[in-house]
Each structure stands twice: as C-alpha cells, then as structure tokens.
Amino acid sequence: MDSAREAAAKGVKALLEAAAPHAEVRRDQPWPKRPDPGGTIILHDGDPGEPEVTLSPLLYTYTHEFEVEVLGPPGSTNRHELLDQLLVPIGDRIEADRSLGGVAEWVEATAPMTDDVTLESAEPVRGAQLSIIVVYSTSNPLT
C-alpha cells in the first residue's frame, strides 16, 4: 500500500501521462540529451512542506508542491504552439478532477515560466517550469 505522498506522486504522474499521451513522462530524471519527438515532461517529487496538524483526530495535511518541467517537441517555426499543446491539456485534466481520483483534497497548477531550451539538437525547443500543488491528509507523516 502506498503512502499518501507516494499516492499523490503517482496520481500526478498518471495525470501528466493522460494529458500528454505522445510525450515521454519521467519521474525524478535529468533532462534528455535530445528532445523526444512528442515532448518530454519531468515530474520532480518536490517539497511536501510543513503540514497543518489537527490533534483530534490526529491528522497531517500537506500542501505538496510537485515541480514539473515540460519540454516541447522539436519544431523551430511553431515551438510556442507545440508547448501549449502540452500545457493546456494538463490544465484541463486538473480542472476535470481536482481530487486525482480521490487521492487528494485539492489539486491546482501554478502559471508556467517559459523559455527556450537548447539541448544537443540544432534548434531550441520551448520549455516551461511549473508546480502542481496537491493537498492531501494522512494520520502518519510516513504513510
């Protein structure tokens, strides 16, 4: 059985995979040397932060900030649109299910910071960094 933290991470990864079925979705991996043809999304576990503690019953509520790096697919002429084709469905999926299928109490994304990224390819790809914030509770911070 997964901890609440791990269930949230798996839920976010599944959301990203469903939102961008042609992209390569990785967890806690470095950037690729070359861009993937469908784009690359890297999920980092990030920081669960300090919990809000309720004493009766004992409950730890985390506002966990998962860091997400999105690299659009190669395409020098329309790289802004290609990145948007990855980002917009992520937002749509979050809006459609703010509980990650019952794993979380609330899910939201921050606005992306975008920039061009040059990998070992001749042309830059458009990239974005954002956070997906997941609020979840557990009776034990280790489970």
Side-chain angles (χ1 to χ4, degrees):
M1 185 168 147
D2 290 332
S3 66
R5 179 187 64 260
E6 183 64 16
K10 285 181 176 179
V12 172
K13 186 171 188 282
L15 178 143
L16 295 171
E17 290 169 337
H22 301 293
E24 179 71 29
V25 179
R26 303 172 182 177
R27 183 172 170 202
D28 290 322
Q29 297 292 315
W31 283 16
K33 292 184 180 194
R34 297 186 185 275
D36 290 304
T40 305
I41 300 174
I42 303 170
L43 170 66
H44 297 281
D45 286 357
D47 183 8
E50 289 296 318
E52 181 180 315
V53 180
T54 305
L55 296 177
S56 184
L58 182 60
L59 195 64
Y60 298 89
T61 301
Y62 290 92
T63 302
H64 192 140
E65 193 167 329
F66 290 91
E67 299 167 13
V68 179
E69 297 172 325
V70 180
L71 298 172
S76 60
T77 58
N78 60 350
R79 63 183 185 272
H80 293 85
E81 290 97 4
L82 291 171
L83 179 63
D84 241 18
Q85 290 173 7
L86 292 174
L87 293 175
V88 171
I90 293 170
D92 291 344
R93 291 277 176 165
I94 290 171
E95 250 185 307
D97 181 12
R98 297 259 184 203
S99 72
L100 290 177
V103 169
E105 295 163 32
W106 183 256
V107 178
E108 65 183 27
T110 62
M113 294 184 301
T114 60
D115 201 359
D116 286 336
V117 177
T118 303
L119 302 172
E120 287 186 13
S121 64
E123 57 192 39
V125 296
R126 196 74 179 157
Q129 290 182 312
L130 62 125
S131 294
I132 295 180
I133 300 166
V134 181
V135 178
Y136 58 87
S137 297
T138 180
S139 60
N140 180 332
L142 298 178
T143 62

